[in-house]
């Protein structure tokens, strides 16, 4: 992040064959995994991760090999064990349960907004995704919130130490139920770190528009469209584990699918 730059805050809650190297303190689920009787089975990870994982990547390597050309999963860049501890279910409810948050619909173009206390969202709306639900019927906590309300939490987060010239960082914090996610969309470059759970990503380069319906959930797309795609039409995909950070370049199409109840934070470079 550029010296002196103050990150803006966007708050969002929406529902390789190489071994994964996890950061310190990333065992446990923070109390977020609460699948009840009759809950749908978890969605599986992909057969093969198509996004490279890099540990101890230098800034020069990041700029030369990835920043403007392809996604990468970063490992061991920062130690966010303190932030992770503060993001447990118990601690977040104790600190922010009465804070009013704004929910948005989980389609490609979010329009409808609903305000309610954070505790109500966690206790009543944070549940596994219904595969038959449309995006505009699924509500998530997304944006329109004051940075000062969450400053006590975000002061403990260490974002990836890489920046791009002329950009400003904006945080997007998320908590999402199993099977939830956002359908394909694109915007500027950014980083997304998983704090608890797992998040499966699907990515296409800017010149390759994916086949999708903007009001269908990622889970519905995975079940209905993905199996019909020829190998050459399939996206890059990989599941990001707790303690890992995925970087996506400018204007890359991407959709996400939370395989567990997941807590995550993105740093958008606008």
């Amino acid at each position: 992040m550029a010296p002196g730059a103050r990150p803006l805050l966007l708050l969002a809650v929406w529902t390789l064959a190489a071994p994964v190297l996890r950061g310190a303190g990333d065992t446990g689920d923070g109390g977020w995994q609460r699948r009840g009787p009759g809950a749908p089975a978890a969605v599986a990870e992909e057969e093969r991760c198509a996004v490279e994982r890099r540990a101890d990547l230098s800034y020069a390597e990041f700029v030369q090999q990835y920043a403007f050309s392809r996604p990468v999963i970063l490992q061991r860049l920062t130690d966010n064990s303190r932030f992770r501890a503060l993001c447990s279910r118990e601690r977040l409810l104790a600190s922010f349960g009465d804070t009013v948050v704004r929910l948005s619909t989980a389609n490609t173009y979010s329009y409808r907004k609903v305000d309610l206390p954070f505790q109500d969202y966690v206790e009543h709306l944070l549940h596994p995704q219904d595969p038959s639900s449309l995006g505009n019927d699924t509500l998530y906590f997304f944006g329109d919130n004051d940075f000062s309300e969450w400053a006590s939490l975000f002061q403990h987060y260490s974002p990836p130490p890489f920046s791009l010239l002329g950009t400003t960082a904006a945080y997007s914090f998320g908590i999402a139920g199993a099977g939830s996610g956002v359908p394909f969309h694109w915007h500027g470059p950014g980083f997304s770190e998983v704090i608890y759970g797992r998040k499966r990503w699907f990515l296409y380069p800017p010149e390759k528009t994916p086949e999708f319906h903007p009001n269908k959930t990622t889970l519905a797309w995975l079940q209905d469209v993905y199996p019909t795609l020829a190998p050459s039409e399939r996206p890059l995909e990989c599941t990001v584990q707790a303690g890992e950070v995925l970087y996506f370049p400018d204007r890359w199409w991407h959709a996400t699918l939370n395989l567990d109840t997941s807590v995550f934070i993105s740093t958008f470079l606008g």
Side-chain angles (χ1 to χ4, degrees):
M1 190 177 302
R6 181 189 177 192
L8 303 174
L9 175 67
L10 297 176
L11 286 170
V13 177
W14 41 54
T15 260
L16 300 175
V20 174
L21 303 176
R22 299 188 182 183
D26 65 344
T27 57
D29 60 25
W32 291 106
Q33 307 310 325
R34 298 184 170 219
R35 291 182 60 201
V43 178
E45 296 186 14
E46 67 288 337
E47 293 183 2
R48 184 183 67 86
C49 174
V51 180
E52 189 176 3
R53 281 184 162 92
R54 294 291 305 270
D56 306 316
L57 187 71
S58 71
Y59 180 67
E61 290 174 317
F62 169 72
V63 171
Q64 293 168 6
Q65 300 178 30
Y66 305 102
F68 306 103
S69 58
R70 55 186 169 136
V72 61
I73 294 174
L74 307 171
Q75 300 174 318
R76 299 202 297 258
L77 276 181
T78 57
D79 179 6
N80 275 307
S81 54
R82 172 61 176 163
F83 180 76
R84 190 172 193 272
L86 294 172
C87 288
S88 70
R89 189 180 191 275
E90 180 181 5
R91 291 197 179 189
L92 282 183
L93 286 175
S95 299
F96 302 101
D98 294 332
T99 302
V100 174
V101 296
R102 176 158 291 182
L103 308 183
S104 298
T105 51
N107 47 359
T108 297
Y109 311 107
S110 296
Y111 297 112
R112 186 160 65 97
K113 309 288 183 181
V114 175
D115 293 343
L116 81 170
F118 177 66
Q119 181 167 341
D120 287 356
Y121 172 79
V122 171
E123 294 184 348
H124 302 298
L125 296 179
L126 189 62
H127 46 66
Q129 176 72 47
D130 181 348
S132 65
S133 294
L134 294 175
N136 61 2
D137 294 326
T138 306
L139 290 170
Y140 297 98
F141 177 19
F142 180 62
D144 301 314
N145 290 272
D146 187 352
F147 178 86
S148 62
E149 292 181 309
W150 297 80
S152 62
L153 175 65
F154 280 85
Q155 67 179 335
H156 297 285
Y157 179 66
S158 297
F162 302 150
S163 61
L164 297 178
L165 187 64
T167 63
T168 301
Y171 290 150
S172 176
F173 179 61
I175 304 172
S180 65
V182 290
F184 282 104
H185 63 287
W186 61 265
H187 44 69
F191 302 91
S192 183
E193 179 168 356
V194 174
I195 307 302
Y196 290 109
R198 297 169 298 158
K199 182 183 288 289
R200 187 171 169 181
W201 284 72
F202 307 90
L203 304 109
Y204 285 100
E207 67 276 9
K208 193 169 183 178
T209 302
E211 178 185 342
F212 73 103
H213 189 291
N215 199 30
K216 293 290 184 67
T217 65
T218 304
L219 183 59
W221 175 87
L222 181 65
Q223 295 176 342
D224 300 337
V225 178
Y226 183 90
T228 69
L229 299 176
S232 61
E233 298 174 331
R234 291 191 172 182
L236 293 179
E237 57 182 300
C238 195
T239 297
V240 179
Q241 309 284 339
E244 295 185 320
V245 180
L246 181 134
Y247 169 77
F248 51 89
D250 187 25
R251 297 176 182 269
W252 271 66
W253 289 95
H254 54 280
T256 60
L257 181 64
N258 297 289
L259 304 189
D260 315 297
T261 298
S262 300
V263 180
F264 54 93
I265 181 170
S266 296
T267 305
F268 295 118
L269 304 177

